[in-house]
């Protein structure tokens, strides 16, 4: 998703999926939301005005049945689970700007206005819907895709239900050519390329109209044209991305929603809901005469110890327990560094503890710690003046080359590439200290040599902390503080920190004479415990 051609003055709107509230948040929802938060923080660091949208998808049969099972009203159930999401997002340091809930009255108004536009285009008609419905997916399935007990591929333990209803349909078929032209003209619209190919192949087989309403399902938004039916949960949920854009206190109209934050720059979703976002959603928008999002990125799925995660397998991971045990920085770092976001990735607690300890506690934390100690010992606690440094200086040359690589990596959602580049600089810093041995230089009275080594290492750590701040904002802020900077890197708004951080993306910002703090561990080692 290279959006570098878009000027920094343009706003940047990014969304997570709106999560179902049938259950407490699981590790998969935490994974997507952390990824979106990393992108949002990176864009804020670039100085862009960012809106990170997340929220909950609260209608539909699945939620209604879950609430019934818990002997609660659907609304009380939704309120409770939505609060659980918000509380987890806080613990994970997610800086969301809007949390949209599809049961909010303002969302219902946006849905009604949007429905009317599509209706006026003649894109909604009544028809007969027959087919197998998976309540867990909230989706009709092709019979050929079901197993012998009519379970779908995602929920083989559940049986799809036969439906035969008069519903309202959306004329998706009318948009086949327009969509194909759009994909063709916007090769970056669906990322990564493997997902784009999946969608192109699906669309080339021919698009069929889909049902956008249900009968006998009270837990939904009434169809404006027929109050006996409610809207299909996906039609309603996708529109949550628009409702979220209305400024608080403004009347919920499409005009108000679309006047600043539209079009959305990035929908970050899992591969399971790609079709809804890359086919149905743009077709709905085309019908309503709205411009389309710039990019839909479908990431892979997390497995646990190499196996698919699921309740039936009894190997789900509770994100809350993980955060409480190891802290949010560790989890954020692992997801960013260890997982290729375009593919499926594995969570292994052993690997998690190893990676985080090796990179953050040992390489990064120790480098800062040992260097600061030497600054106190040999330079009276002030950043030393290295004098003029040759461009070929091993750390300066690495540090100077870092920024363009990192920016390209974050833009491409290659978080692992971004972390690896920083770690390469950090490791080079450790090797540089070992090979130049400033303690010997000091003994030999080579104060200029000491200054050169300590300055270049501290500057490498500073630059590394700056570029890791979208991933590990607290640790980066702690490093900055120890380097004597009053501002943290965890501020909710780019506007507040940006002026203080002008130029900090470049090598050579650390100013000689700045007083550094006494070092304290920025990252405590994790201990492996049985899950
Ligand atoms: N409510 C719909 C989305 C509507 S968007 C307008 C929905 N919700 S969901 O709660 O089921 O969340 C699905 C999302 O959770 C996936 O797309 C993905 O982002 C995330 N994940 C769920 N399980 C996952 C893994 N095992 N691994 C990684 N992410 C996964 O679908």
């Amino acid at each position: 998703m290279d959006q570098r051609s878009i000027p920094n003055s343009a706003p940047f709107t990014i969304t997570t999926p709106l999560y179902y509230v049938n259950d407490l948040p699981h590790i998969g929802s935490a994974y997507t939301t952390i990824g979106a938060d990393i992108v949002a923080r990176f864009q804020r660091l670039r100085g862009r005005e960012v809106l990170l949208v997340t929220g909950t998808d609260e209608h539909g049969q699945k939620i209604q049945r879950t609430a019934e099972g818990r002997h609660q009203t659907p609304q009380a159930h939704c309120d409770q689970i939505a609060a659980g999401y918000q509380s987890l997002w806080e613990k994970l340091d997610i800086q969301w700007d809007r949390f949209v809930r599809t049961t909010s009255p303002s969302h219902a108004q946006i849905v009604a206005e949007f429905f009317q536009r599509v209706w006026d285009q003649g894109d909604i008609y009544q028809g007969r819907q027959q087919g197998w419905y998976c309540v867990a997916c909230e989706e009709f399935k092709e019979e050929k895709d079901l197993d012998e007990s009519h379970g779908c591929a995602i929920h083989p333990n559940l049986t799809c239900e036969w439906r035969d209803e008069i519903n309202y349909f959306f004329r998706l078929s009318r948009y086949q050519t327009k969509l194909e032209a759009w994909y063709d003209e916007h090769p970056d619209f669906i990322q990564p390329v493997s997902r784009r190919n999946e969608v192109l192949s699906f669309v080339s087989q021919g698009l069929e109209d889909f049902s956008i309403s249900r009968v006998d399902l009270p837990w939904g938004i009434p169809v404006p044209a027929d109050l006996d039916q409610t809207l299909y949960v996906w039609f309603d949920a996708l529109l949550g991305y628009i409702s979220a854009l209305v400024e608080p206190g403004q009347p919920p109209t499409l005009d108000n929603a679309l006047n600043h934050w539209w079009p959305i720059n990035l929908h970050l979703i899992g591969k399971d809901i790609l079709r809804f976002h890359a086919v149905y959603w743009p077709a709905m928008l085309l019908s309503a005469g709205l411009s389309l999002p710039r990019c839909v990125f479908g990431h892979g799925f997390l497995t646990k110890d190499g196996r698919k995660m699921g309740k039936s397998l009894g190997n789900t991971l509770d994100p809350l327990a993980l955060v409480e045990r190891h802290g949010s920085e560790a989890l954020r770092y692992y997801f960013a560094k260890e997982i290729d976001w375009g593919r499926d990735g594995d969570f292994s607690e052993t690997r998690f503890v190893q990676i985080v300890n090796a990179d953050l506690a040992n390489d990064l934390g120790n480098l800062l710690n040992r260097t600061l100690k030497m600054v106190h010992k040999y330079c009276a606690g002030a950043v030393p003046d290295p004098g003029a440094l040759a461009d070929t200086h091993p750390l300066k040359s690495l540090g100077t080359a870092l920024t363009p690589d990192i920016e390209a990596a974050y833009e491409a959602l290659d978080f692992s590439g971004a972390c690896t580049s920083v770690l390469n600089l950090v490791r080079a810093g450790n090797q540089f200290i070992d090979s130049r041995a400033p303690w010997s230089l000091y003994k030999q009275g080579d104060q200029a040599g000491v200054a050169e080594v300590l300055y270049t290492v501290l500057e490498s750590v500073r630059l590394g902390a700056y570029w890791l701040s979208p991933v590990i904002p607290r640790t980066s802020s702690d490093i900055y503080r120890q380097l004597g900077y009053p501002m943290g890197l965890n501020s909710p708004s780019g506007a507040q920190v940006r002026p203080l951080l002008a130029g900090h993306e470049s090598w050579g910002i650390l100013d000689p004479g700045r007083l550094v703090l006494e070092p304290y561990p920025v990252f405590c080692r994790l201990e492996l415990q049985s899950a």
Side-chain angles (χ1 to χ4, degrees):
M1 186 210 41
D2 195 339
Q3 307 210 21
R4 275 173 294 176
S5 52
I6 302 172
N8 265 13
S9 53
F12 186 91
T13 313
I14 173 167
T15 68
T16 72
L18 307 184
Y19 299 103
Y20 284 131
V21 289
N22 58 310
D23 210 344
L24 292 170
H26 59 75
I27 196 78
S29 358
Y31 175 74
T32 315
T33 310
I34 287 174
D37 186 63
I38 293 174
V39 175
R41 285 174 183 269
F42 164 69
Q43 294 292 347
R44 286 193 200 106
L45 215 49
R46 280 187 70 204
R48 290 184 77 170
E49 192 195 3
V50 172
L51 192 81
L52 170 55
V53 172
T54 184
T56 39
D57 178 359
E58 306 189 353
H59 287 129
Q61 192 134 42
K62 175 159 64 169
I63 313 293
Q64 183 176 307
R65 285 188 186 167
T66 310
E68 278 162 12
R70 296 180 71 204
H71 308 291
Q72 275 187 323
T73 63
Q75 192 63 61
H77 166 78
C78 292
D79 291 349
Q80 200 182 0
I81 305 282
Y85 273 95
Q86 296 195 0
S87 140
L88 178 64
W89 290 176
E90 273 166 22
K91 292 198 165 77
L92 290 171
D93 260 322
I94 308 296
Q95 284 179 343
W96 76 88
D97 298 288
R98 299 282 160 80
F99 191 100
V100 62
R101 297 185 54 191
T102 58
T103 52
S104 72
S106 56
H107 173 68
Q109 291 188 48
I110 292 284
V111 171
E113 192 182 343
F114 187 93
F115 181 93
Q116 192 60 45
R117 284 209 191 185
V118 178
W119 178 271
D120 292 345
Q121 285 302 312
D123 281 337
I124 296 175
Y125 65 94
Q126 243 188 8
R128 184 172 182 187
Q129 170 72 58
Q130 285 183 308
W132 293 101
Y133 191 75
C134 174
V135 173
C137 292
E138 293 284 13
E139 191 179 6
F140 277 101
K141 302 281 177 181
E142 300 269 336
E143 183 143 19
K144 67 174 171 46
D145 296 331
L146 304 180
D147 61 24
E148 47 304 340
S149 54
H150 287 104
C152 82
I154 307 173
H155 303 100
N157 299 336
L158 303 173
T159 307
C160 290
E161 298 173 15
W162 178 253
R163 296 284 159 80
D164 184 354
E165 306 175 348
I166 300 299
N167 285 168
Y168 289 88
F169 280 73
F170 172 68
R171 242 180 253 287
L172 180 65
S173 55
R174 199 189 226 183
Y175 292 93
Q176 165 120 14
T177 319
K178 280 194 181 148
L179 283 177
E180 284 174 331
W182 178 265
Y183 302 142
D184 204 37
E185 286 156 21
H186 301 86
D188 289 341
F189 176 62
I190 304 163
Q191 299 270 326
V193 160
S194 54
R195 308 263 183 261
R196 172 180 157 81
N197 292 339
E198 253 174 61
V199 171
L200 294 187
S201 138
F202 170 73
V203 174
S204 70
Q205 290 159 34
L207 291 178
E208 287 177 18
D209 299 346
F210 69 96
S211 149
I212 56 162
S213 72
R214 297 286 175 267
V215 281
D216 297 328
L217 176 61
W219 191 237
I221 296 181
V223 174
D226 179 346
L227 299 182
D228 288 338
Q229 301 216 13
T230 51
L231 281 168
Y232 172 40
V233 59
W234 267 101
F235 190 86
D236 148 9
L238 287 161
L239 292 170
Y241 294 139
I242 296 185
S243 319
L245 307 184
V246 179
E247 295 297 325
Q250 289 280 309
T253 62
L254 281 179
D255 279 351
N256 282 340
L258 302 170
N259 73 6
H260 186 67
W261 296 106
W262 190 263
I264 284 164
N265 296 72
L266 175 62
H267 288 300
L268 185 61
I269 54 161
K271 61 181 182 178
D272 53 332
I273 52 176
L274 185 62
R275 234 175 248 183
F276 291 103
H277 286 79
V279 183
Y280 294 15
W281 177 226
M284 285 162 59
L285 294 170
L286 286 171
S287 168
L290 305 187
S291 50
L292 303 194
R294 292 188 203 283
C295 179
V296 174
F297 188 102
H299 66 66
F301 258 37
L302 276 180
T303 55
K304 174 144 188 283
D305 303 314
R307 295 171 71 214
K308 190 169 182 277
M309 246 186 271
K311 278 196 189 146
S312 48
L313 291 166
N315 66 346
T316 50
L317 275 167
D318 174 7
L320 201 59
L322 271 176
V323 176
E324 276 164 6
R325 197 182 310 153
H326 298 300
S328 73
E329 298 275 290
L331 198 59
R332 294 174 64 104
Y333 186 75
Y334 181 83
F335 284 163
K337 172 79 187 311
E338 259 306 275
I339 294 172
D340 173 347
W341 275 65
R343 298 162 185 256
D344 289 352
D346 192 49
F347 187 92
S348 126
E349 194 147 349
T350 316
R351 181 93 187 120
F352 169 64
V353 168
Q354 266 170 9
I355 289 281
V356 168
N357 282 345
D359 291 6
L360 301 186
N362 297 355
D363 290 340
L364 182 63
N366 280 352
L367 181 60
L368 176 69
N369 203 276
R370 70 201 285 222
T371 314
L372 285 182
K373 278 186 185 149
M374 286 189 268
V375 171
H376 281 285
K377 207 159 159 191
Y378 309 141
C379 311
V383 173
D385 187 345
L389 291 169
D391 288 344
T392 50
H393 185 284
L395 294 184
K396 182 180 175 185
S397 58
L398 258 185
T400 310
L402 187 73
T403 291
D405 285 356
I406 293 242
E407 286 185 340
Y410 276 123
E411 288 284 356
L413 270 65
D414 175 11
F415 307 140
S416 176
C419 294
T420 303
S421 296
V422 171
L423 260 290
N424 286 343
L425 178 64
V426 165
R427 289 193 184 119
N430 272 313
Q431 281 160 10
F432 191 60
I433 289 209
D434 292 342
S435 67
R436 294 290 303 276
W439 46 92
S440 305
L441 298 174
Y442 183 73
K443 275 194 203 137
Q444 292 154 18
D446 181 0
Q447 195 62 27
V450 171
E452 177 226 311
V453 177
L454 297 187
Y455 179 87
T456 53
V457 171
L458 283 185
E459 176 60 356
S460 301
V461 175
R462 182 204 63 76
L463 190 60
Y466 179 87
W467 280 124
L468 282 183
S469 69
V471 179
I472 45 169
R474 285 179 188 270
T475 308
S476 291
S477 293
D478 270 346
I479 293 176
Y480 252 64
R481 265 182 228 113
Q482 292 194 34
L483 291 174
Y485 289 100
M487 68 282 197
L489 292 161
N490 197 20
S491 149
S493 145
Q496 288 163 18
V497 280
R498 190 70 205 167
L500 299 171
L501 291 171
H504 277 229
E505 69 283 6
S506 307
W507 171 271
I509 278 292
L510 195 60
D511 39 343
R514 178 176 287 279
L515 295 180
V516 300
L517 301 192
E518 286 294 336
Y520 56 85
V522 281
F523 196 87
C524 296
R525 289 180 65 79
L526 307 183
E527 298 297 332
L528 184 62
Q529 294 173 23
S530 56

